[in-house]
Amino acid sequence: MNATQQLHELGQSLWLDNITRGLLESGTLQRYLHDFAVTGLTSNPTIFDLAIRGTNFYDEAIQKKAAAGKSGEALFFDLALEDLTRAADLFRPSHEATAGVDGWVSLEVSPLLANDAAATVREAAQLHARAARPNLFIKIPGTPAGIIAIEESIFAGVPVNVTLLFSREQYLAAAGAYMRGIERRIAAGRDPVVGSVASIFVSRWDVAVKDQVPEALRNRLGIAIAQRTYRAYRELLVSSRWRTLANAGARPQRLLWASTGTKDPAAPDTLYLEALAAPDTINTIPEKTLLAFADHGVVNAAMAADGGDAQQVLAAFAQAGVDEAALAIRLQREGAESFSKSWSDLMAVIASKSATLAQSQRGGGAQS
């Protein structure tokens, strides 16, 4: 049993933070399911930008869709849904075997909607309906407008992966939105089972403070934030409010660790996987990190439900001048801006490829 399978036995789901048509066509994704106990995947605008820009797997589909009059966001969502519905079908057995707890894939709404709750709700519902898969999450950022959209989307029955959460407080806001949506469904006589996960971004904390703290604190902030958030998650699951919902048939919004590839070349490449081994959570990881962990990762003791030494570590960062409340807000804003830039880059590469492929087709037709 390799380390990835040991994590599965511990009660943590491993998801792949990547999707490309090449992964699907080559059978590589299927192999990860079998060999590394991968039970889901996540995507974001940056992942699709790199996949479409860096390979020719999408060229034929782009050419056909552009010739049919598709462009921009409409063309992109066609491509993304083609990939993600195939992936969802691959993970469907896991989804069914776990009664809907696992086996999910995720598609993000346009990052340009991060501050528009009503438009986010509309797009989330449209994308979920188009996918027509029970195991496809719609990713909605945990921005102030996103929190409103999350509650409304859950109430509407749209499964949600809350993205761009950086702190315990941001997590609790997302959890509150999820519970309000479920409470409203119960009050309206609707099915209380609507899937959701809440994604805490980890490594970006350490990147943000790497030049501000002493060596002894390097690469420790993200893990401490995660530990403190895990404590809040465990406390919420035994709260009277959650027990009331659980007794009505609702399922927990699971906690997901995101941004868990090691950014510091001097740190172990399995750092965050080994530190964040926690029952009833998910860790979504880049391919490189998955392969490294399967090769030489070590599963140690599970994360302490009480957060372990998080408070002492966070106190040391405060002593070093780190204002983690202000930094959480900044990281969320920067994350939203980064995804918006990737979205713009993605739209540009689709437009460029559409034009180049159309020109190539015209040239080929003229020669024949």
Side-chain angles (χ1 to χ4, degrees), residues 209-220 316-317 319-322:
V209 301
K210 65 183 173 66
D211 298 324
Q212 303 171 36
V213 297
E215 186 66 29
L217 291 178
R218 283 177 73 90
N219 300 311
R220 298 187 66 191
F317 275 98
Q319 190 96 25
V322 175

Side-chain angles (χ1 to χ4, degrees), residues 175-325:
Y178 171 69
M179 289 190 290
R180 288 192 299 274
I182 296 295
E183 287 163 346
R184 288 170 57 193
R185 286 183 67 80
I186 292 169
R190 299 183 185 178
D191 183 355
V193 177
V194 183
S196 185
V197 297
S199 300
I200 300 290
F201 283 52
V202 181
S203 68
R204 295 189 189 186
W205 283 97
D206 296 320
V207 173
V209 301
K210 65 183 173 66
D211 298 324
Q212 303 171 36
V213 297
E215 186 66 29
L217 291 178
R218 283 177 73 90
N219 300 311
R220 298 187 66 191
L221 180 55
I223 291 165
I225 293 288
Q227 289 173 310
R228 187 174 64 180
T229 305
Y230 186 61
R231 175 174 180 163
Y233 170 61
R234 303 305 307 194
E235 289 174 347
L236 188 149
L237 292 180
V238 296
S239 68
S240 58
R241 181 182 183 187
W242 175 252
R243 285 201 304 269
T244 299
L245 294 179
N247 290 338
R251 291 186 184 151
Q253 178 192 53
R254 295 172 80 201
L255 191 59
L256 180 151
W257 311 125
S259 185
T260 53
T262 303
K263 307 294 194 296
D264 181 354
D269 54 3
T270 58
L271 171 69
Y272 296 106
L273 264 169
E274 293 178 6
L276 302 175
D280 303 315
T281 65
I282 302 151
N283 199 327
T284 185
I285 53 177
E287 231 173 321
K288 181 180 174 183
T289 308
L290 172 68
L291 296 173
F293 192 71
D295 178 65
H296 53 264
V298 176
V299 178
N300 300 305
M303 184 183 289
D306 66 359
D309 65 352
Q311 285 307 120
Q312 297 96 296
V313 174
L314 291 170
F317 275 98
Q319 190 96 25
V322 175
D323 181 346
E324 44 106 351

